[in-house]
Structure formats: structure tokens, C-alpha cells
Amino acid sequence: MEPLVLHVDGFWVSPYVFSVFVCLREKGLPFETRLVNLHEKAQKTPDYKAKSLTARVPLLEHGAFQLSESSAIVEYLEDTFAPPRYTPTLPAAPRDRARARQIMAWIRSDLMPIREERSTNSFFYGRKVEPLSPAGLAAADKLLAAANALIPDGRTSLFGDFSIADADLAMMLMRLVGNGHPVPAKISDFVAAQWRRPSVREFVERERAPYVPY
Ligand SMILES: N[C@@H](CCC(=O)N[C@@H](CS)C(=O)NCC(=O)O)C(=O)O
């Protein structure tokens, strides 16, 4: 098999790196990681930019093929390392798969006040946060209403079997849950169940270098 290399942020706080890391682990694929120190602008070096069209993390190298954008990477891995040989990380049924893609796209393109006011380094590093602004509260309400509608009652995954949409949604919800925002039990149970997955724990519980804001 051609080698897989995942380029990750130096503090392991990127939710987009997280998606790809979990996908690779769930599929049981061997891969190396390389740190890109964003606080030192390592993503702007000519070497890195020659590999990554977007000059961001994550970047996946698979042999000579280089790909940026986490959801594109997840789809590439799903197509290249497809079930039944490899564990699926997206649902098979077209409507569930479309819903998973919808959630992944939405989480990457909306809810900006939560992403800004509750960056993932807050719960990875136990950083104290200010109360949410009115825009942050409105975004939190929107997220919680969607999560409540998406998570089936009595279940702790969106589609029965795990998918990357579960991990992505849990990471977004953790920005609230991990900072003490009150959420319904169904949602905290969902986040807790996702946080117990070995692939997620490996990312969440890893040792991190002291954080340098950037
Ligand atoms: N839509 C992209 C977002 C990637 C992204 O925003 N990465 C951030 C880290 S979380 C980054 O590399 N920031 C450095 C920069 O933009 O210069 C994806 O899903 O991969």
C-alpha cells in the first residue's frame, strides 16, 4: 500500500484534522503524522504550499497524491478504502449518506459565532471563556435545535453505525458541553458516547505541547 501521511496542527486542536484522524483510525489504516506549527506560519512555507493548494491543515498525502479539505479527504478515504474490506465511515444508504454530508458541510460553513467564541482549544486546554454573545447564544440555539432533531430518541449515534458525521457533530457540540453550556440529556449522552470511541479518545486524550495563541 502507498504510504499515508496526515499533516496536523502542532497543538492537535483542529476539528478538521480530528475528522480525518478519526476516519483513518476507524478504517484501521496505518499512517504517519507530521506537525505543521500554525503559530509559526509553517503552513505558509513554499514546501508546504507546494503540497497543499489551500495552505491549511489537514493535508493528506497518499503516495504522490496530495489532498486538502477534510470532508474531501474523508470521502477520498471512504472511496479508496471502501467497505467491506475496510470499516465504513459514511452511511451506505443514499439518504443517510446525503444527510451525513449535509451535517459535515453545515458544520464547516455555519455557526461561526460558536466557532469563534468557543474555539476547540478552550476544552482541550481548559482555557476560561467569556459568556456567549447574543450572536453566540443564537448560534448555540440553532445548533442544539438541529442536534435534537437529528439524534434519534434513545440513540447515541445518528445513523445506527458510526459515521464521521457523528464525530463532527460531537466535536461541534463539545464547544458548548465542554464549556458548561446547558444541553438536553439526549445531546450530552450523544456527545459522551462519541467521546468514548477509541479513535476519538486517542485524539482527545493525547499529550499536547503548551498552547501558543495564533
Ligand atoms: N475547510 C477546511 C478548513 C481547514 C482549516 O481551517 N484549517 C485551519 C486549522 S483548524 C488552518 O489550517 N488554519 C491556518 C490558515 O488558514 O492559515 C477543512 O475542512 O479542511
Side-chain angles (χ1 to χ4, degrees), residues 9 13-16 38 43-44 54-58 68-71 108 214:
D9 64 293
V13 293
S14 165
Y16 314 110
L38 302 180
Q43 76 277 30
K44 312 269 191 210
T54 62
R56 290 168 146 190
V57 291
S68 297
E69 288 296 325
S70 56
S71 50
R108 284 163 177 74
Y214 53 94

Coordinates of all heavy atoms in Angstrom, one line a residue, residues 9 13-16 38 43-44 54-58 68-71 108 214, ligand 1:
D9 N -2.1 20.1 12.8 CA -1.7 21.3 13.5 C -0.9 20.9 14.7 O -1.1 19.8 15.4 CB -2.9 22.2 13.9 CG -3.8 21.5 14.9 OD1 -4.4 20.5 14.6 OD2 -3.8 21.9 16.1
V13 N -5.5 20.6 17.8 CA -6.8 21.2 18.2 C -7.8 21.4 17.0 O -8.9 21.8 17.2 CB -6.7 22.6 19.0 CG1 -6.1 22.4 20.3 CG2 -6.0 23.6 18.2
S14 N -7.3 21.1 15.8 CA -8.1 21.4 14.6 C -9.2 20.4 14.5 O -9.0 19.2 14.4 CB -7.2 21.4 13.4 OG -8.1 21.3 12.2
P15 N -10.5 20.9 14.5 CA -11.6 19.9 14.3 C -11.6 19.3 13.0 O -12.2 18.2 12.8 CB -12.8 20.8 14.5 CG -12.4 22.2 14.1 CD -10.9 22.3 14.5
Y16 N -10.9 19.9 12.0 CA -10.8 19.3 10.6 C -9.8 18.2 10.6 O -10.0 17.2 9.9 CB -10.6 20.4 9.6 CG -11.5 21.6 9.9 CD1 -11.0 22.8 10.4 CD2 -12.9 21.5 9.8 CE1 -11.8 23.9 10.7 CE2 -13.7 22.5 10.1 CZ -13.2 23.7 10.6 OH -14.0 24.8 10.9
L38 N 1.2 26.0 13.1 CA 0.5 27.2 12.5 C 0.9 28.5 13.2 O 0.9 29.5 12.5 CB -1.0 27.0 12.7 CG -1.6 25.7 12.0 CD1 -3.1 25.6 12.2 CD2 -1.3 25.6 10.5
Q43 N 2.5 26.7 7.7 CA 1.6 26.4 6.5 C 1.9 27.3 5.3 O 1.4 27.1 4.3 CB 0.1 26.5 7.0 CG -0.5 27.8 7.1 CD -0.2 28.4 8.5 OE1 0.8 28.2 9.1 NE2 -1.1 29.3 9.0
K44 N 2.7 28.4 5.6 CA 2.9 29.4 4.5 C 4.3 29.1 3.8 O 4.7 29.9 3.0 CB 2.9 30.8 5.1 CG 1.7 31.2 5.9 CD 0.6 31.7 5.1 CE -0.5 32.3 6.1 NZ -1.8 32.3 5.6
T54 N -4.4 24.7 -0.4 CA -5.1 25.7 0.4 C -4.2 26.2 1.5 O -4.6 27.1 2.2 CB -6.3 25.0 1.1 OG1 -5.8 23.9 1.9 CG2 -7.3 24.4 0.1
A55 N -3.0 25.7 1.7 CA -2.1 26.1 2.7 C -2.7 26.0 4.1 O -2.6 26.9 4.9 CB -1.5 27.5 2.4
R56 N -3.4 24.9 4.3 CA -4.1 24.7 5.6 C -3.9 23.3 6.1 O -3.5 22.4 5.2 CB -5.6 25.0 5.5 CG -5.9 26.4 5.3 CD -7.4 26.5 5.0 NE -7.9 27.8 5.5 CZ -9.2 28.0 5.5 NH1 -10.1 27.2 5.0 NH2 -9.7 29.1 6.0
V57 N -4.2 23.0 7.3 CA -4.3 21.6 7.7 C -5.8 21.2 7.8 O -6.6 22.1 8.1 CB -3.6 21.3 9.1 CG1 -2.1 21.5 9.0 CG2 -4.2 22.2 10.2
P58 N -6.2 20.0 7.6 CA -5.3 18.9 7.3 C -4.9 18.8 5.9 O -5.5 19.4 5.0 CB -6.2 17.7 7.7 CG -7.6 18.2 7.3 CD -7.6 19.6 7.7
S68 N -6.2 18.4 0.2 CA -6.6 19.2 1.3 C -8.2 19.2 1.4 O -8.8 18.7 0.5 CB -6.2 20.7 1.2 OG -4.8 20.7 1.1
E69 N -8.7 19.8 2.5 CA -10.1 19.9 2.8 C -10.6 18.6 3.4 O -10.8 17.6 2.7 CB -11.0 20.3 1.5 CG -10.8 21.7 1.1 CD -11.3 22.7 2.2 OE1 -12.3 22.5 2.9 OE2 -10.6 23.8 2.3
S70 N -10.9 18.7 4.7 CA -11.2 17.5 5.5 C -12.3 16.6 4.9 O -12.2 15.4 4.9 CB -11.4 17.9 6.9 OG -12.5 18.8 7.0
S71 N -13.4 17.3 4.5 CA -14.5 16.4 4.0 C -14.2 15.7 2.7 O -14.6 14.6 2.5 CB -15.9 17.2 4.0 OG -15.7 18.4 3.3
R108 N -19.1 22.9 8.8 CA -17.9 23.6 8.3 C -18.2 25.0 7.7 O -17.3 25.8 7.4 CB -17.2 22.8 7.2 CG -16.4 21.6 7.7 CD -16.1 20.6 6.7 NE -15.3 19.5 7.2 CZ -15.7 18.5 8.0 NH1 -17.0 18.5 8.4 NH2 -14.9 17.6 8.5
Y214 N -2.4 31.9 18.3 CA -2.1 32.4 16.9 C -3.3 32.9 16.2 O -4.4 32.7 16.6 CB -1.4 31.3 16.1 CG -2.1 30.0 16.0 CD1 -3.0 29.7 15.0 CD2 -2.0 29.0 17.0 CE1 -3.7 28.5 14.9 CE2 -2.7 27.8 17.0 CZ -3.5 27.5 15.9 OH -4.2 26.3 15.8
Ligands
LIG1 N1 -12.5 23.7 5.3 C1 -11.1 23.3 5.7 C2 -10.7 24.1 7.0 C3 -9.3 23.9 7.3 C4 -8.8 24.9 8.3 O1 -9.5 26.0 8.6 N2 -7.7 24.7 8.9 C5 -7.1 25.6 9.8 C6 -6.8 25.0 11.2 S1 -8.3 24.5 12.0 C7 -5.8 26.2 9.3 O2 -5.0 25.4 8.7 N3 -5.5 27.5 9.5 C8 -4.3 28.1 9.1 C9 -4.5 29.1 8.0 O3 -5.7 29.2 7.5 O4 -3.5 29.8 7.6 C10 -11.2 21.8 6.1 O5 -12.2 21.3 6.3 O6 -10.1 21.1 6.0

